[in-house]
Amino acid sequence: MPCRTAILISGSGTNLQSFIDKVGDGTLDLDLCLVFSNKPGAFGLERARKAGIPTACIEHGDFDDRESFDRAVAAVIDEARPDLIVLAGFMRILSPWFVQYYEGRIVNIHPALLPKYPGLNTHQRVLDAGDEWHGSTVHFVTEELDGGPRILAGRLRVDPAETADELQHRVQTVEHQIYPQAAGLVGSGRVEFVNGETWIDGEVAEKPIVETFD
Ligand code: GRF
């Protein structure tokens, strides 16, 4: 049975689309059981509907605090019975309650070669620093923002003449490859979260898998 997977979005959902396409062409063995958004206008909801995936939306403005919103989201997620939760541009900081409740079952993608550049504006920061390499990292979610154990990183060489927008576009193309791949590894059980660390094929992984792109 493919791993039941819920994808949480807030925006355009190009990463979500890469999951939909790869499940559709048979190269990714996940059962996409829910797409959840905190924004009713998120284009990713359209993508999900078109693909026949159940959708749900709750707006965070209706709640007094972060945890009450997260508890309402978890109630909706649990109805879909996912084994894996994929954050794909979900622009909310999760409460410690939510992270603990789903510990070891939530993954995120961050557009930087973690542990470098947690937080926002990563592409411009990389250009400003004159880095040779940039990319994106899939990691398990813990309470530390962008700080959970890493699974898979995709890297590419920075062209010092490119703009932050151009670099972002190239990094997104990498994300569309590595995110479904990493989620597939978790879904198949080859990659696991054990005692706060990533395990790959039954061994603790000191470093993420790294793939290089053009
Ligand atoms: C991605 O670039 C990801 O790194 C970040 O949010 C963005 C989502 O983009 N966490 P999209 O909605 O999948 O197009």
Side-chain angles (χ1 to χ4, degrees), residues 67 70-72 74-75 94-102 143:
E67 188 176 313
D70 282 1
R71 284 181 183 268
L94 301 169
S95 62
W97 176 82
F98 190 93
V99 173
Q100 281 160 23
Y101 183 68
Y102 292 114
E143 283 180 44

Side-chain angles (χ1 to χ4, degrees), residues 11-16 87-91 108-111 136 168 172 175-176:
S12 113
T14 64
N15 279 282
L16 164 66
L87 305 181
F90 187 60
M91 301 304 284
N108 182 45
I109 190 160
H110 179 72
S136 195
Q168 174 179 12
Q172 280 210 313
E175 293 188 332
H176 301 158

